[in-house]
Amino acid sequence: MTAVLFDFSGTLFRIESAESWLRATLDASGHTLPEPRLSETARALDAAGALPGGGVDPVELPADLAALWAVRDETAELHRAAYTGAARQVPLPDPGLYDALYERHMAPAAWSPYPDAAEVLRTLRERGIGVGVVSNIGWDLRPVFRAHGLDPYVDAYVLSYEHGVQKPDPRLFSVACGALDADPRQVVMVGDSKEADGGAAALGCRVHFVDHLPVTERPDALLPVLDLVG
């Protein structure tokens, strides 16, 4: 294998919990909710699928959001509209909080790398293996990698909103392989979604899946990738 492609959310990084997300947004905006209501509101936002990268599909998607949701990762505008639309299903004390929640999820402080992410990326770099990040997303995640010290180990970022194509469309993986000058048959795609990340198999990539779990519950799921590349 000459290169490894990684998904972002649920693979290399994990977003904060819905309650932490809501609490940080409320604190920054000067709003408050009583503790029981804050927890209830966070659970409702989670159920609505309003937390981008949270790994939770909406329990029930309103009809007027369904078409938008299906293509939400193709542009920055669609991404924001889909997730703020999902959040608006849940009452909040100020209408400005829906956009504030969206802004919060893009902050590096909202993300934590999995415990073994740095070791795996660093080792791949030391072995001369190309590393790419392929993500369905509507914003620039590079600042997250820089803030957490992982950017030096990434050779290419291929983000859906920058190309107007979202996984599992093989074209996005093809762009990544091209950026790394790698034959897809010598590439491993690592991700948490069989549906989205599994699209790389259409090009001949080997695909390795990890579970989308809190960082405290997944200390070493990325380490087997090092064995896959030899």
Side-chain angles (χ1 to χ4, degrees), residues 44-197:
L45 287 166
D46 216 14
L51 175 58
V56 178
D57 292 325
V59 172
E60 185 176 354
L61 197 61
D64 61 342
L65 272 182
L68 176 62
W69 195 263
V71 295
R72 65 191 182 278
D73 296 312
E74 292 185 3
T75 72
E77 294 76 17
L78 291 172
H79 193 269
R80 180 182 285 270
Y83 282 103
T84 55
R88 286 190 175 94
Q89 297 177 78
V90 181
L92 292 176
D94 186 304
L97 286 170
Y98 298 106
D99 278 311
L101 282 169
Y102 188 84
E103 294 296 327
R104 166 65 190 182
H105 103 275
M106 296 187 286
W111 295 88
S112 297
Y114 280 94
D116 53 347
E119 177 184 352
V120 169
L121 294 178
R122 181 174 59 251
T123 302
L124 291 172
R125 170 53 58 87
E126 291 170 351
R127 293 182 183 179
I129 303 295
V131 171
V133 172
V134 185
S135 178
N136 278 353
I137 199 165
W139 51 277
D140 186 5
L141 52 70
R142 295 172 183 85
V144 176
F145 279 77
R146 289 196 291 267
H148 291 278
L150 299 186
D151 179 66
Y153 308 124
V154 179
D155 299 297
Y157 295 92
V158 178
L159 312 181
S160 61
Y161 84 102
E162 293 182 338
H163 297 275
V165 177
Q166 60 187 38
K167 298 182 288 186
D169 193 316
R171 289 178 293 173
L172 203 64
F173 304 105
S174 181
V175 169
C177 291
L180 298 173
D181 195 24
D183 183 330
R185 295 168 296 180
Q186 297 178 320
V187 173
V188 180
M189 174 66 208
V190 183
D192 66 300
S193 170
K194 291 184 178 180
E195 178 184 358
D197 301 311

